Amino acid sequence: AISYNYALYTPAAETKTMVVWLHGQGEGASGLEGYTDGTDARIPILGAEVTALAGDDFQSMMGGAYVLAPQSPSVWMDGGSGDIEGLAYSIYTESLHDLITMVKEQTGVEMIIIAGCSNGGYMTMIMAINYGAEYTAYVPVCEALKDEFITDEKIEALAKLPMFFIYSQDDGTVDPTLYEIPTLARLQAANAENLHVFAPEHVFDTTGRFTNVKIWFQNELDGTYMGHWSWIYFFNNTAVCETSGETVWSWMAEQ
């Protein structure tokens, strides 16, 4: 059986909502070598600004929400093979579903939103494909499920789900032309019912704190980050849908 280390934030007020955050490759055991062995639930929280989801702004907007942050024992896309049906798969699909179900029963939540970045974005897509409307909504951020491995049948099913995609057009790690762009085109052609997208040209520091400061994850001195880091927009609630004008947090709160 697969077991998980996980962190769970419990809000002060009673709520029926839970957000599940799925981390990227660097926060699982097969991520940065020597950094984590997959047994430290603090890593999925500290690897990105997941603490923002426990902050006053997010909690107030959501009307309170549990936040579940499980850690993958390896990488979420573990188990994918080279064929079309096999690659859109993870050995963690059923066990992650079991974990979420267990926490759901313990907390009494009814609305569950799954979000994740990169490798966790891959897993967000896998959960959407496998469990669909069982969960309330999905937020794939710089997701790593190649479009060629999503069948037309799966696109038709995904088109019925509330989804908010976030990615940067200059992502050099997960090329949008192989991932989000063709998938979104197919979803739109399938008349997706609740599809939202934020796709800036670059990942830019909107806080102004890092302008004129050169740190390792920035390309320039103007506050421009590496293109793969689009989860910054999610945690700062600065991802704004190109068509509706809604921020990702406000959209999540409406589901």
Side-chain angles (χ1 to χ4, degrees), residues 199-241:
E201 293 183 1
H202 311 287
V203 177
F204 189 77
D205 169 40
T206 58
T207 69
R209 289 182 296 169
F210 300 112
T211 302
N212 296 322
V213 178
K214 185 70 170 69
I215 45 185
W216 71 270
F217 50 77
Q218 290 182 282
N219 293 329
E220 306 292 343
L221 295 176
D222 62 356
T224 303
Y225 293 73
M226 292 187 294
H228 191 51
W229 285 46
S230 51
W231 54 84
I232 290 173
Y233 290 110
F234 175 77
F235 289 116
N236 285 344
N237 193 31
T238 49
V240 181
C241 177

Side-chain angles (χ1 to χ4, degrees), residues 1 40 63-65 75 84 96 105 112 117 120 132 136 162 172 191 199 208 220 239 245:
D40 188 343
V75 291
I84 288 180
L96 179 59
E105 292 173 351
I112 299 175
C117 67
T136 306
N191 298 314
E220 306 292 343

Side-chain angles (χ1 to χ4, degrees), residues 53-192:
L53 303 183
D56 291 342
D57 290 347
F58 182 78
Q59 289 293 317
S60 175
M61 188 169 293
M62 296 296 295
Y66 289 89
V67 181
L68 173 64
Q71 185 179 36
S72 167
S74 58
V75 291
W76 293 117
M77 61 174 58
D78 201 347
S81 63
D83 63 285
I84 288 180
E85 289 300 321
L87 192 57
Y89 170 76
S90 166
I91 63 170
Y92 299 115
T93 306
E94 293 183 4
S95 58
L96 179 59
H97 176 258
D98 290 344
L99 172 64
I100 296 171
T101 299
M102 180 191 75
V103 177
K104 176 183 178 181
E105 292 173 351
Q106 291 174 348
T107 59
V109 298
E110 298 173 358
M111 293 178 52
I112 299 175
I113 299 173
I114 299 181
C117 67
S118 191
N119 205 265
Y122 172 97
M123 197 65 201
T124 300
M125 295 292 289
I126 295 302
M127 297 302 281
I129 287 170
N130 283 276
Y131 298 105
E134 180 173 338
Y135 298 120
T136 306
Y138 299 87
V139 185
V141 183
C142 53
E143 59 92 359
L145 176 58
K146 270 190 177 180
D147 177 71
E148 66 179 289
F149 300 116
I150 306 176
T151 63
D152 290 340
E153 181 182 10
K154 290 171 182 173
I155 286 290
E156 292 292 332
L158 290 173
K160 296 179 174 61
L161 304 176
M163 304 189 78
F164 197 124
F165 284 76
I166 300 172
Y167 70 94
S168 178
Q169 296 176 39
D170 66 347
D171 191 332
T173 303
V174 179
D175 184 351
T177 64
L178 302 176
Y179 294 82
E180 294 94 347
I181 292 175
T183 297
L184 288 167
R186 294 169 67 199
L187 287 171
Q188 290 163 347
N191 298 314

Side-chain angles (χ1 to χ4, degrees), residues 24-47:
Q25 179 175 339
E27 292 91 355
S30 296
L32 303 176
E33 188 171 350
Y35 178 55
T36 173
D37 62 0
T39 61
D40 188 343
R42 294 170 298 179
I43 299 300
I45 300 172
L46 300 175

